[in-house]
């Protein structure tokens, strides 16, 4: 067992998957054969042990053949909330996702500001600027922001 940075119950389904590989002492083999050394073993260990609560989108996309993308956002007690999308048909370009298209539609109809005011209150300006930067391609959406927006934009729809 490796030193965990949080309680095991706080780890996501994806982290538990990696932790199981670590416990079997197969993480380097997994890194070599499955991830083509795209990430460091140290990064995998930090994700698995909870130092990084949610990995990068690049890492989530690289693990699609093993886990649904939503498995990195939900704990085992919450269960996997992946959409009914067949394995291998997930969107790996977030600008093609259902939620991106919803944001784009709000922007095109000039309702994005109103949407932010109604849903985020005092933080509406912060989210409006972030959404505008995301839609313009200036910034990317982080996995932490995706998790924060779960009540308005389902996590599964960022990958559909």
């Amino acid at each position: 067992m490796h030193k965990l940075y949080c309680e095991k119950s706080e780890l996501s389904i994806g982290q538990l998957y990696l932790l199981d590989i670590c416990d079997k002492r197969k993480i380097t083999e997994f890194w070599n054969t499955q991830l083509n050394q795209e990430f460091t073993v140290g990064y995998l260990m930090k994700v698995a042990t909870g130092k990084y609560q949610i990995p990068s989108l690049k890492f989530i996309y690289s693990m699609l053949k093993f886990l649904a993308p939503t498995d990195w956002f939900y704990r085992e007690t919450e269960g996997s909330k992946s959409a009914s999308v067949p394995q291998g048909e997930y969107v790996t370009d977030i600008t093609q996702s259902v939620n991106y298209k919803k944001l784009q539609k709000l922007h095109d109809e000039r309702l994005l500001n109103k949407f932010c005011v109604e849903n985020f209150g005092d933080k509406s300006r912060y989210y409006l600027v972030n959404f505008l930067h995301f839609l313009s391609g200036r910034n990317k959406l982080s996995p932490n922001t995706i998790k924060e927006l779960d009540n308005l934009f389902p996590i599964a729809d960022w990958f559909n």
Side-chain angles (χ1 to χ4, degrees), residues 74 81 145-156 158:
Y74 298 109
K81 297 183 181 181
T145 304
I146 290 173
K147 178 80 171 168
E148 287 174 21
L149 297 172
D150 186 26
N151 59 339
L152 297 170
F153 297 100
I155 292 172
W158 290 109

Side-chain angles (χ1 to χ4, degrees), residues 15 40 46 58 60 87 121 132 137-140 148 159:
Q15 289 172 301
T40 65
K46 288 175 183 171
K58 183 178 178 182
I60 291 171
Q87 184 76 9
L132 291 174
R138 179 177 175 187
N139 293 347
K140 295 182 180 182
E148 287 174 21
F159 303 100

Side-chain angles (χ1 to χ4, degrees), residues 34-47:
Q34 303 300 328
L35 295 179
N36 300 320
Q37 303 177 1
E38 193 171 343
F39 302 91
T40 65
V41 173
Y43 182 78
L44 269 71
M45 293 296 295
K46 288 175 183 171
V47 171

Side-chain angles (χ1 to χ4, degrees), residues 12-71:
S12 69
I13 297 167
Q15 289 172 301
L16 291 172
Y17 177 83
L18 280 182
L19 194 59
D20 183 52
I21 293 172
C22 292
D23 287 343
K24 292 177 184 173
R25 299 187 179 274
K26 299 284 186 184
I27 196 72
T28 304
E29 181 182 331
F30 181 77
W31 172 71
N32 268 327
T33 60
Q34 303 300 328
L35 295 179
N36 300 320
Q37 303 177 1
E38 193 171 343
F39 302 91
T40 65
V41 173
Y43 182 78
L44 269 71
M45 293 296 295
K46 288 175 183 171
V47 171
T49 57
K51 184 159 188 168
Y52 301 152
Q53 285 297 315
I54 302 174
S56 68
L57 284 176
K58 183 178 178 182
F59 184 77
I60 291 171
Y61 292 143
S62 71
M63 293 290 291
L64 281 177
K65 55 186 166 184
F66 307 104
L67 296 163
T70 54
D71 288 346

Side-chain angles (χ1 to χ4, degrees), residues 68-126:
T70 54
D71 288 346
W72 297 100
F73 296 91
Y74 298 109
R75 296 183 180 108
E76 193 172 42
T77 55
E78 298 169 316
S80 179
K81 297 183 181 181
S82 60
S84 58
V85 176
Q87 184 76 9
E89 293 189 26
Y90 294 106
V91 173
T92 56
D93 179 5
I94 204 162
T95 62
Q96 302 301 315
S97 69
V98 172
N99 285 338
Y100 182 88
K101 291 174 184 172
K102 287 179 191 175
L103 279 174
Q104 188 67 52
K105 184 178 179 194
L106 286 169
H107 179 264
D108 292 346
E109 294 174 355
R110 301 191 182 274
L111 297 172
L112 190 57
N113 186 39
K114 181 181 176 186
F115 173 82
C116 289
V117 169
E118 289 173 355
N119 291 291
F120 302 112
D122 295 340
K123 289 186 157 191
S124 63
R125 184 81 178 139
Y126 167 79

